Amino acid sequence: QVQMVESGGGLVQAGGSLRLSCAASGRTASIYNMAWFRQAPGNEREFVAAISWGETSINYADSVKGRFTISRDNAKNTVYLQMNSLKPEDTAVYYCAAQDIYTGRYDYWGQGTQVTVSS
């Protein structure tokens, strides 16, 4: 099994920045792509950004392009999400996820961290 633990959420004013971290532990040799998702109240969970093992493939949702940056440190089994120019509509619970190399699915999820952006 793989355990994922997020940190770095909080309350910030519009235009501010936050950096989320997510550390994986356990059977980390079985994970490949890592990603961030978010879920706002009343909404479905949505994709934010994803990064491949060697950082050769990085994808962002259109809503965060140019403002958010995903990165990873494989030596630390950690993925990061640098969020700049935050907007109130970025308010959500942010979840990190890891893709299992054998199933191809995002099988491993963190517990979520709250990000609140005030106007």
Side-chain angles (χ1 to χ4, degrees):
Q1 279 290 353
V2 177
Q3 293 77 43
M4 314 281 288
V5 179
E6 301 107 336
S7 61
L11 173 64
V12 64
Q13 288 188 333
S17 298
L18 281 174
R19 189 193 194 206
L20 305 183
S21 300
C22 176
S25 61
R27 296 182 60 185
T28 56
S30 64
I31 64 177
Y32 183 55
N33 292 339
M34 300 181 80
W36 289 94
F37 293 78
R38 67 186 182 185
Q39 187 168 18
N43 291 355
E44 294 187 352
R45 189 172 298 187
E46 64 176 6
F47 169 79
V48 175
I51 185 168
S52 63
W53 173 259
E55 301 187 71
T56 55
S57 177
I58 295 176
N59 294 286
Y60 296 98
D62 288 343
S63 58
V64 306
K65 279 181 182 176
R67 300 187 298 121
F68 290 11
T69 302
I70 189 171
S71 61
R72 65 190 290 172
D73 183 336
N74 291 331
K76 297 181 179 179
N77 295 309
T78 299
V79 62
Y80 305 96
L81 187 68
Q82 177 66 44
M83 306 185 293
N84 299 329
S85 302
L86 282 161
K87 304 175 181 180
E89 51 264 44
D90 294 318
T91 295
V93 177
Y94 284 70
Y95 299 89
C96 65
Q99 187 178 39
D100 187 281
I101 196 169
Y102 301 108
T103 68
R105 298 188 303 262
Y106 283 104
D107 287 337
Y108 311 112
W109 293 82
Q111 80 286 356
T113 185
Q114 177 71 46
V115 171
T116 303
V117 184
S118 63
S119 56

